Amino acid sequence: MTPPPPPPLNRRVFLHAATLIAAAPGLSLLPAGRSSAAVPRAAAAAASLRPFALKDVTLGPGVFAAKRALMLDYARGYDVDRLLQVFRANAGLDARGAVAPGGWEGLDGEANGNLRGHYTGHFLSMLAQSYGSTGEEVYAERIRTIVGALTEVREALRREPAVLSVPGRSTQSTGDAARTAVENVRGSYQYVELPPAVLNASPAVTLSAWVRPTHNAAWARVFDFGDGTTRYLYLAVRNASGVPRFALTTGGAGAEQAVNGTAPLPLDRWSHLAVTLSGTTAILYVDGVAVGRNTAMTLTPRSLGTPANNWLGRSNYPADPLFAGALDDVDIWSRALSPAEVAELGTGSGTAAPSAGAGDLASYRMDETSGGTLADASGRALHATLRRSWGGPSHPGFLAAYPETQFIALESMTRGDYTAVWAPYYTAHKILRGLLDAYLNTDDARALDLAAGLCDWMHFRLSRLPASTLQRMWGIFSSGEFGGIVEAICDLYALTHRPEHLALARLFDLDRLIDACVAGDDILDGMHANQHIPIFTGLVRLYEETGEARYLTAARNFWDMVVPHRTYGIGGTSTAEFWRARGVIAGTLSDTTAETCCAYNMLKLSRTLFFHDRDPKYMDYYERALHNQVLGSKQDRPDAEKPLVTYFIGLLPGQVRDYTPKAGTTCCEGTGMESATKYQDSVYFAEADGSALYVNLYSASTLTWADRGVTVTQTTDFPVEQGSTLTINTTAGNRPAAFDLRLRVPEWARDGVKVTVNGVPVPETPRPGGYFTLSRTWRAGDTVRIDVPFRLRTESALDAPATQTLFYGPVNLVARDPRRTFLPVSLHHNTALSGDLLPSLTPVPGSPLHFTTPDGITFAPFAEGTEDPTHAYIHRTEPRVVLGTLDSGVTNPSAPDGTTLLDAIWAGAPFASKRALVDAVAATVRTWTAEGRLSEADGDRILSTARRASYQP
């Protein structure tokens, strides 16, 4: 059945949606004229915070703008026809000579490219964000090109296959443009079916064809006649050794009577391939020259009877590839042509009829330029038909770069096998998300039509399945992965309000996981991380659209299971793509730690939860992951062919980041492209009623808050600069604007954050880990300065206190050193009263945020996208108790959990004065002496050292 078309929507509503959903999901939108009485109960669940569209926040100079510029150049210059190649090929359309990107995005990549199409979806999102951020028409034009092509692809998939007409073989030798041939593009799944009587049980045969192969796959057939893998006759372009082969058998592969060629046929050039068989002799010809002979043949075509399968370009072995390339002048004779006749065929220009005439069994000139029927010129009217190996045409709305069979096969799978089925709904999500982003940023109605059609098709497909089948599918590792498709479907529903779209979103509920998270039951150990993180962003959106509290509860509890219990210092999570036991950090460090997609999706989930809970912990995490893993995942150099983004970020000692994994088209390169073109998406949020503005991140930027007639400009070089200046101006006739300005005070900012308004200090002291509110009527030119002093601190791995990572404010510092063992680092030999470890390091002149230790180890920001070997974690070693540069001569004792005496002393920082520090030393010494970890004499020496030492503030 054909799903009904989407109802017409009001363009004003479309554009309003663009300013909201493009920036972030989280709002239910009402079509024009819809009364509040008709609003679904989701209205009560909608978040009262709203994000700003990317166009409303302009990045200023700084690290984010510099990283983004690299990705904008890549988006501007990459050939989008390469992305479209796999879509066009799948639909049997002209791929325009483009070569697919490779890696996961092509037929030759991992698992035969079963994820192809995902990268195009990411690329569309990147283009949409680039256009939304910059307004440069080049990005909109590229979006229109892709959307137009995908529209053509969907239409082609709905039709029976049609011939792709290309210049024929005579053009190569004579330039005769009038002659044409038929090409089957690799990845089109197309072949030619001949009528059953084509061989006519002939005792002799000649097979002749001009071929222009475009791929070097072994066992691709030109001709194949048979009933399966026991009785068949074939002529292949390449055997396992890469040379042509003719074979005939009635006993399977082991009983083949065959003739092999001597050299491979060239790619992308016409060659004539023929075989003659009469009596006991079979001769194989290439370009009219005999290249192989078998004089002991006992089988003939008559031995096969009337084969069920009579094909050009397809093998009776299902695993063999289809022939990729062009065919011209295909003939079959019921006799063995003479060597002279074959030579004439193999060397002729094609402008005159050969003396052998047309094949008397079948003859196809391949002159068709449309349709799916190939005319037979033999006089027997055995016309051939172009077919797809997977059947078809596709159901209405289907759009992909591979056949619908990927989705169908998943429905009967009981265990994952990505070489057979690799996450088709994950790929569908990327395409859907890209189309939605394209529509919301360019108002191209074709993109919305494609998105709605794809969801109509998914609903048609999934709504017929039993709930038990759906639960089994979504629980299968890799094959059943569906990414953030629920979020995207909910965003579509916010535009269409079609019930089947909301129903579709709920068909992806993975009840076992949802129920466990609602109950607070941590079952994440052993689960694939990125398969499940985006599920929860979708659940928050489902809460917003349905009002079902279990969805929001599950997402909240899930987040708390990941942060901090499975989170590395840089904000990433997972090792080898999976989660391990709760609280195990040092024990999971590897060269495949912190899959970059996980950070991307944790950021989305964090901001979405913040819209509802306003818990500062979400924005503390957001800052950590954004400033470290996300920024550090992008290499700091241009490249026209690859986005240069990491897949994994290994956190073992001496790791070098790989910015071109698997040819640069993995899931993480896709999300990395998106991350680098939306750095500003969470700098500011606003109350839906316009009563307050949240400043979440300190980043050089200008916000245009049109609803309030206000602009807010941040002038800062954060994080090089420890603070930011905000200038407020009005755009509505300089009228004052009353609203609350809420400045985020990071949890790590424990050294006295200061705020001034127009140069006047604010008397209240902002507390770390929250928001500091300034309530006033703002006038043009008002300035707010927030100073956020940094301190150098360490964070210990939850399962190994001595395994630590360094932070300076929000900046994760990594050691640059080629050694592959953990570096021993001491930091307490000059700790300040505030607890700041920075006095123990020396700043590197001319290199902001770079420091060296006394023994020459250099620390630099993780965010710098270099290829230096780095140490994200070091082994903290404080062998003796040193206070204020004075060595007490006492060995630094440890508690059973690994905490040392110095750790216990400095845990009480900041200290208001030296006296306060000395008192803390005395108290700690007494405790450790009483517990038998320290002798009284050593305790006295430590206390004496504390009293004699001098300390920085």
Side-chain angles (χ1 to χ4, degrees):
M1 62 175 290
T2 301
L9 297 180
N10 183 284
R11 178 177 296 270
R12 180 182 62 80
V13 175
F14 285 170
L15 297 176
H16 182 56
T19 67
L20 302 177
I21 300 178
L27 295 171
S28 297
L29 305 179
L30 300 179
R34 185 171 181 144
S35 70
S36 59
V39 180
R41 62 187 175 126
S48 59
L49 279 185
R50 67 191 305 181
F52 289 94
L54 295 177
K55 68 181 179 62
D56 295 331
V57 183
T58 304
L59 285 180
V63 61
F64 290 108
K67 292 265 190 180
R68 187 183 68 170
L70 296 171
M71 197 64 78
L72 289 176
D73 284 346
Y74 171 72
R76 188 181 293 110
Y78 193 82
D79 181 4
V80 296
D81 278 330
R82 296 187 62 189
L83 302 170
L84 293 166
Q85 192 273 343
V86 290
F87 285 92
R88 286 170 168 151
N90 184 53
L93 299 175
D94 182 4
R96 304 186 180 186
V99 177
W104 287 4
E105 195 63 27
L107 288 165
D108 292 316
E110 192 170 352
N112 299 315
N114 283 342
L115 209 65
R116 59 190 182 276
H118 81 114
Y119 197 72
T120 301
H122 286 297
F123 203 94
L124 258 180
S125 290
M126 173 182 64
L127 289 174
Q129 292 172 177
S130 299
Y131 180 63
S133 294
T134 69
E136 292 184 29
E137 184 62 23
V138 62
Y139 302 117
E141 182 58 36
R142 294 165 78 73
I143 290 170
R144 286 190 286 269
T145 297
I146 295 175
V147 170
L150 294 181
T151 301
E152 294 174 358
V153 164
R154 186 179 69 172
E155 178 60 27
L157 288 170
R158 284 289 299 127
R159 300 191 304 259
E160 294 289 352
V163 298
L164 176 59
S165 180
V166 296
R169 54 100 179 178
S170 62
T171 304
Q172 178 173 296
S173 58
T174 68
D176 179 8
R179 287 299 310 275
T180 62
V182 169
E183 180 166 22
N184 284 340
V185 177
R186 184 162 181 260
S188 67
Y189 299 90
Q190 292 183 174
Y191 67 99
V192 177
E193 182 179 67
L194 308 179
V198 65
L199 289 182
N200 204 29
S202 176
V205 72
T206 295
L207 306 176
S208 167
W210 281 89
V211 298
R212 179 171 57 79
T214 56
H215 193 257
N216 59 2
W219 302 118
R221 308 292 205 254
V222 177
F223 298 91
D224 200 318
F225 308 93
D227 298 313
T229 58
T230 300
R231 302 168 59 84
Y232 53 78
L233 174 160
Y234 68 77
L235 179 58
V237 177
R238 280 175 169 77
N239 63 6
S241 300
V243 298
R245 177 180 173 88
F246 167 75
L248 178 60
T249 183
T250 56
E256 286 185 359
Q257 299 177 11
V259 186
N260 292 317
T262 57
L265 298 187
L267 297 181
D268 300 310
R269 287 191 61 81
W270 287 104
S271 299
H272 185 259
L273 188 61
V275 64
T276 62
L277 172 60
S278 180
T280 62
T281 301
I283 305 174
L284 181 65
Y285 295 86
V286 173
D287 293 333
V289 177
V291 295
R293 185 184 303 264
N294 184 339
T295 59
M297 300 289 292
T298 62
L299 299 174
T300 70
R302 180 171 291 174
S303 306
L304 302 180
T306 302
N309 303 323
N310 302 272
W311 294 328
L312 301 179
R314 182 177 180 182
S315 168
N316 271 278
Y317 283 86
D320 286 347
L322 299 178
F323 172 75
L327 296 172
D328 200 359
D329 289 347
V330 176
D331 286 280
I332 307 173
W333 285 271
S334 61
R335 64 183 179 90
L337 298 188
S338 69
E341 289 175 311
V342 175
E344 182 186 2
L345 291 172
T347 58
S349 68
T351 58
S355 58
D360 63 316
L361 291 180
S363 179
Y364 305 100
R365 300 276 65 83
M366 301 296 185
D367 287 333
E368 288 77 11
T369 58
S370 63
T373 301
L374 303 174
D376 173 27
S378 71
R380 298 179 68 204
L382 296 181
H383 307 306
T385 305
L386 195 64
R387 302 289 191 198
R388 292 189 179 103
S389 62
W390 57 272
S394 66
H395 290 92
F398 175 74
L399 177 63
Y402 44 64
E404 201 170 346
T405 49
Q406 278 278 298
F407 297 85
I408 297 170
L410 175 62
E411 294 168 9
S412 60
M413 293 179 71
T414 57
R415 57 186 302 177
D417 179 0
Y418 85 132
T419 64
V421 175
W422 191 3
Y425 285 96
Y426 173 95
T427 308
H429 162 242
K430 303 310 172 190
I431 297 169
L432 174 61
R433 182 76 262 170
L435 290 169
L436 281 172
D437 290 340
Y439 168 71
L440 291 169
N441 283 276
T442 67
D443 197 31
D444 188 332
R446 297 174 302 171
L448 181 63
D449 180 64
L450 289 170
L454 182 56
C455 286
D456 292 342
W457 170 80
M458 285 190 283
H459 182 260
F460 166 77
R461 173 108 244 135
L462 296 175
S463 62
R464 300 177 303 161
L465 299 178
S468 58
T469 299
L470 294 173
Q471 293 300 313
R472 172 174 47 77
M473 285 166 55
W474 307 145
I476 297 175
F477 162 59
S478 189
S479 298
E481 183 175 356
F482 55 78
I485 200 166
V486 175
E487 175 197 11
I489 295 170
C490 287
D491 287 353
L492 176 69
Y493 171 70
L495 292 168
T496 68
H497 285 283
R498 291 174 55 188
E500 59 267 34
H501 291 160
L502 183 58
L504 171 63
R506 302 186 72 160
L507 292 175
F508 289 92
D509 280 8
L510 181 54
D511 289 336
R512 172 177 173 268
L513 180 62
I514 295 172
D515 292 345
C517 289
V518 168
D521 183 9
D522 188 336
I523 63 170
L524 302 187
D525 188 7
M527 296 184 74
H528 183 250
N530 199 54
Q531 182 166 346
H532 296 94
I533 298 170
I535 289 176
F536 291 91
T537 305
L539 294 184
V540 179
R541 288 291 289 114
L542 269 176
Y543 164 71
E544 293 166 358
E545 299 298 348
T546 67
E548 291 193 22
R550 70 188 284 261
Y551 290 135
L552 182 60
T553 300
R556 286 168 171 158
N557 291 346
F558 166 79
W559 193 94
D560 287 332
M561 294 172 191
V562 177
V563 183
H565 306 289
R566 294 178 173 89
T567 302
Y568 302 108
I570 59 172
T573 186
S574 80
T575 184
E577 298 194 7
F578 287 81
W579 283 306
R580 302 306 177 195
R582 182 184 181 105
V584 179
I585 299 298
T588 60
L589 297 180
S590 72
D591 57 356
T592 56
T593 327
E595 183 185 359
T596 304
C597 275
C598 294
Y600 165 89
N601 280 309
M602 283 299 295
L603 288 183
K604 293 190 77 171
L605 177 59
S606 298
R607 77 196 296 269
T608 305
L609 285 170
F610 185 81
F611 293 150
H612 291 275
D613 296 351
R614 309 192 190 192
D615 191 328
K617 69 182 181 182
Y618 297 126
M619 284 297 112
D620 280 332
Y621 170 81
Y622 198 100
E623 178 187 66
R624 174 190 295 263
L626 178 67
H627 272 275
N628 296 295
Q629 172 151 8
V630 172
L631 274 181
S633 67
K634 174 72 185 83
Q635 191 171 15
D636 295 332
R637 71 174 180 85
D639 192 287
E641 292 297 313
K642 295 179 176 62
L644 299 182
V645 177
T646 59
Y647 188 151
F648 297 114
I649 294 181
L651 297 178
L652 285 174
Q655 289 287 156
V656 175
R657 288 175 220 168
D658 180 3
Y659 299 99
T660 55
K662 301 178 185 290
T665 57
T666 68
C667 51
C668 292
E669 277 73 38
T671 54
M673 293 190 298
E674 295 184 41
S675 290
T677 49
K678 63 168 186 175
Y679 288 135
Q680 74 270 41
D681 75 340
S682 295
V683 176
Y684 308 98
F685 299 149
E687 292 285 0
D689 62 4
S691 62
L693 178 69
Y694 285 72
V695 181
N696 305 307
L697 300 169
Y698 299 109
S699 175
S701 57
T702 296
L703 166 68
T704 300
W705 191 4
D707 289 350
R708 295 306 312 271
V710 166
T711 64
V712 178
T713 299
Q714 280 198 68
T715 305
T716 182
D717 195 20
F718 192 92
V720 174
E721 179 182 351
Q722 298 181 20
S724 182
T725 299
L726 293 87
T727 302
I728 297 161
N729 277 296
T730 58
T731 60
N734 289 326
R735 291 197 301 268
F739 60 88
D740 291 346
L741 185 65
R742 295 177 180 165
L743 305 172
R744 178 174 152 270
V745 183
E747 190 278 334
W748 48 262
R750 297 182 175 275
D751 287 341
V753 173
K754 296 179 181 179
V755 176
T756 63
V757 178
N758 296 328
V760 179
V762 174
E764 297 88 353
T765 300
R767 291 185 295 180
Y771 280 79
F772 183 72
T773 300
L774 295 171
S775 299
R776 61 183 282 129
T777 298
W778 303 94
R779 290 173 170 78
D782 281 348
T783 61
V784 175
R785 174 67 190 179
I786 180 168
D787 291 302
V788 190
F790 293 4
R791 73 160 69 172
L792 183 68
R793 69 189 191 282
T794 64
E795 291 184 2
S796 293
L798 299 178
D799 53 331
T803 302
Q804 300 181 356
T805 186
L806 273 65
F807 277 88
Y808 187 49
V811 178
N812 183 237
L813 297 177
V814 294
R816 290 183 176 169
D817 193 287
R819 284 173 281 184
R820 299 306 303 269
T821 56
F822 284 100
L823 301 177
V825 177
S826 299
L827 294 169
H828 268 325
H829 53 276
N830 195 17
T831 306
L833 289 174
S834 64
D836 190 354
L837 300 170
L838 191 62
S840 298
L841 301 182
T842 301
V844 176
S847 298
L849 304 176
H850 287 231
F851 306 93
T852 58
T853 64
D855 52 356
I857 298 173
T858 297
F859 282 88
F862 182 94
E864 293 182 358
T866 72
E867 293 179 294
D868 296 301
T870 60
H871 295 244
Y873 284 87
I874 51 92
H875 272 176
R876 185 73 174 279
T877 175
E878 306 288 349
R880 288 197 300 276
V881 178
V882 179
L883 294 163
T885 73
L886 292 183
D887 188 341
S888 69
V890 177
T891 298
N892 187 23
S894 298
D897 66 355
T899 301
T900 70
L901 176 70
L902 281 174
D903 293 333
I905 290 171
W906 289 109
F911 299 107
S913 63
K914 175 179 177 179
R915 173 65 179 271
L917 171 60
V918 172
D919 288 346
V921 171
T924 305
V925 164
R926 284 195 301 271
T927 299
W928 283 56
T929 299
E931 293 175 349
R933 299 193 191 106
L934 188 69
S935 70
E936 290 188 8
D938 285 347
D940 290 342
R941 283 195 287 272
I942 292 170
L943 186 55
S944 173
T945 302
R947 288 169 176 156
R948 289 183 291 111
S950 59
Y951 307 91
Q952 297 190 36

